[in-house]
Structure formats: structure tokens, C-alpha cells
Amino acid sequence: MSEKKLLIVDGMALLFRGFFATSFTGNYMLNSKGVPRNGLFGFLNYFTDAIHTFDPSHVICCWDMGSKTFRNEMYDGYKANRSAAPEELIPQFDLAKEMVEAFQVPNIGVVGYEADDCIGTLAKQLQNEYQVIIVSGDQDLLQLVDEQIQVAIMKKGTGNYDVFSNDNFYEKKQLSPKQIIDLKGLMGDSADNYPGIKGVGEKTAIKLLKEFETIDRMLEERSSLTKGMQKKLEQYEEDLTISRKLAEILTEVPLDFSAETAVWKNDHDQIVRYLQEELEFHNTDRWLKKLSKELA
């Protein structure tokens, strides 16, 4: 295993999580210019905690670049059930990226692709040279777990992660990482608004994958299924096909990236200057203490 450790942060997940953790109170933490900062505050808590916890030598942050991607071209209804981002969150997107730049961490995003696809592409490109750790709240990313790729799912609170690796994956999920794609294909995803097979939940989907391993094999051997399931396949096979495609994270996004730009520098002076002067976060010790043991 490589001693070099590369942390890939799902910027969208951390910012949304930080925003909604505080917005329910109505406290958007406006600065002197009236700009909300509550999502940024939460992002900083999660971001610095991830660096403190996983002690990386390199750090990358990935973002969505607009609401439309190639998946919307594949399926009109993809994420169509999602409401627009709260107006208080909108100005915090660009500020979050600026803040990441102040940490001298590269922001990665490609128009037409989701952050997940950039994360998957980078993880697969770099897994031979680095121990890759992906931090997110999105369990879709579990399909990326591989040799030298771990996925740390954020749990309630700060500093609480469920870390998935090749060694513990089957014990935790009763499936292999690659089977997560077929699992979501069978179940669909109400959050992303794609259908799967109507009436098939997680328990049934896992049972089918344990028996057949893949959707392809299940379709080849459909005669061995119950009459009810055969009927469902006949009725929803088109939905199954598109759902499986939508569930799969693309790992060949056209991006040009050098890991040397991601070396974790931990420049306290630059970080403090940005947080205090640009964002008006004056009590920066809470974040710097988490970074104090890191590589200078």
C-alpha cells in the first residue's frame, strides 16, 4: 500500500450538509455585506476535520458544474424532482471554491459531468500511486471502493465516519462494490428520480444479486425467477436498463490533472488572511487547531 495518502473531498456534499445543519434555525451568519456564510462555516468544520482525521499528503475538492449533465440527456426525469437551491446558499458556492483555493487545494469540476464522475475518474487514475480516501455523505460513491480506494461516509456530527474498504465492504453491505451499480439499477433512486423496477426494494435487490451476481446474468436466467418477478422484468426492463446506466459513476471524465498541484501545504498565514479578511471569520483557531499536526 502506498504511503502517500490522497484525500478527495466531495465539495457539494460538505457545503450542502453545512448549510442545512444550520439553516433550519434561520441563522445564515450574514457578514457585514449581508452575504450568508453558514454553509461555509459548516464546510470548514467538515473539511478541516477530514484533513485532521485522515492526515493526507495531497488534497483535492470536486464540484458539480451546473445542474445539467449527460445523465439529463439520457433520461429527462433525472433529478427533476429536486427543488432549486435556497437563495441563501447560492452565493456560497463560489465563495466555497475561493476558500478551497485559499487552502491551496485544487477545485475540480467539468461541465456536463457530476462531481461524482470527477471523483471516480481521479480515484481510478491515482489509485496506483496513492492511497485514495473519498469523503462524502453520498453512498453512490461506494461503487468506487477498490484496492487503495476507500470511501468515508460522513455520519451525524463532526468527526464521525463509516469507512468502507475492500477488506470490510462485504461485511458491511453483503455485496461487492461493483454490485452497488446493479443494486441501484434494480431499486432505482427516489432522490435522483430514476425508477428501477417498481416494487423492488433493497432487501429483494440484495437477494437477487446474491443469487445471480449481476443484472445481466439475472436477465439471462430469468426463467428461474418467480412468475411475479418475471412479469416485473417484462414490464420494467426498459426502466431497469436506464436506471443501471444512470447509477454508474463515469471514471473516464476528460480532465487534465497533475497530482503535484494537490500537495497539502497547510499555509496557516494565507488561510487565516482569507478567512478573516474575505469571509470575516475572526475566530479561526477552531479550524487551525485541527490542522496543527499536519504537514507544513
Side-chain angles (χ1 to χ4, degrees):
M1 180 176 286
S2 174
E3 293 182 2
K4 294 188 292 183
K5 202 183 296 183
L6 184 140
L7 180 69
I8 303 180
V9 175
D10 182 349
M12 303 301 296
L14 270 63
L15 184 61
F16 271 90
R17 195 181 187 94
F19 178 84
F20 287 112
T22 53
S23 62
F24 73 95
T25 66
N27 179 16
Y28 297 108
M29 300 179 66
L30 305 181
N31 66 9
S32 63
K33 299 175 183 176
V35 177
R37 301 170 301 163
N38 65 310
L40 303 173
F41 183 86
F43 180 97
L44 271 168
N45 285 337
Y46 299 133
F47 181 76
T48 54
D49 183 79
I51 292 170
H52 173 82
T53 300
F54 298 107
D55 195 15
S57 58
H58 296 67
V59 185
I60 304 168
C61 193
C62 291
W63 301 90
D64 290 345
M65 300 294 287
S67 59
K68 299 296 183 183
T69 70
F70 71 95
R71 290 182 180 85
N72 297 99
E73 297 174 8
M74 290 170 56
Y75 183 67
D76 286 341
Y78 185 68
K79 294 189 177 181
N81 58 337
R82 296 201 180 181
S83 54
E87 62 179 78
E88 295 86 359
L89 176 58
I90 291 171
Q92 298 185 65
F93 285 113
D94 286 342
L95 288 172
K97 292 175 188 174
E98 286 182 13
M99 186 167 64
V100 169
E101 287 178 4
F103 280 84
Q104 299 181 63
V105 168
N107 289 304
I108 303 294
V110 179
V111 174
Y113 300 92
E114 294 182 33
D116 286 4
D117 301 310
C118 294
I119 291 169
T121 299
L122 290 167
K124 296 297 183 181
Q125 281 182 358
L126 299 168
Q127 72 182 112
N128 292 331
E129 298 177 61
Y130 301 88
Q131 181 186 347
V132 177
I133 301 168
I134 299 165
V135 170
S136 178
D138 184 358
Q139 298 221 6
D140 292 356
L141 291 163
L142 293 179
Q143 65 187 263
L144 299 174
V145 170
D146 199 354
E147 192 68 33
Q148 294 229 135
I149 300 176
Q150 298 180 356
V151 175
I153 298 295
M154 302 165 69
K155 299 175 74 175
K156 189 173 181 179
T158 305
N160 195 8
Y161 304 91
D162 193 1
V163 181
F164 291 81
S165 67
N166 259 355
D167 293 337
N168 66 22
F169 198 93
Y170 188 83
E171 179 185 350
K172 288 175 178 283
K173 301 299 289 187
Q174 305 305 303
L175 296 171
S176 71
K178 289 182 179 179
Q179 286 179 302
I180 296 298
I181 301 168
D182 282 3
L183 177 72
K184 292 182 66 66
L186 288 164
M187 292 171 53
D189 189 320
S190 58
D192 287 342
N193 200 44
Y194 57 83
I197 298 178
K198 189 174 181 180
V200 172
E202 185 174 22
K203 187 176 179 180
T204 301
I206 289 174
K207 182 181 177 182
L208 288 169
L209 290 172
K210 279 187 170 182
E211 182 176 355
F212 296 99
E213 293 188 6
T214 66
I215 287 174
D216 288 338
R217 186 175 164 198
M218 183 186 73
L219 293 174
E220 289 170 5
E221 300 179 17
R222 67 176 71 198
S223 61
S224 65
L225 294 165
T226 64
K227 296 295 183 184
M229 185 55 68
Q230 289 183 49
K231 187 174 181 180
K232 282 181 181 292
L233 279 181
E234 184 179 343
Q235 186 174 0
Y236 298 111
E237 188 165 349
E238 188 175 331
D239 287 341
L240 174 62
T241 300
I242 191 66
S243 295
R244 186 188 187 191
K245 289 179 180 177
L246 292 168
E248 185 171 11
I249 292 173
L250 191 68
T251 58
E252 296 180 352
V253 173
L255 53 84
D256 185 18
F257 178 78
S258 169
E260 292 309 307
T261 64
V263 172
W264 173 242
K265 298 180 179 65
N266 198 21
D267 183 343
H268 283 199
D269 289 342
Q270 178 166 319
I271 293 166
V272 169
R273 193 178 310 115
Y274 181 82
L275 295 181
Q276 292 186 350
E277 295 179 6
E278 299 298 325
L279 296 182
E280 300 178 22
F281 285 133
H282 297 296
N283 183 15
T284 56
D285 285 351
R286 63 185 301 129
W287 298 300
L288 297 182
K289 284 177 181 177
K290 291 183 182 179
L291 304 177
S292 61
K293 72 169 187 175
E294 307 305 334
L295 302 174

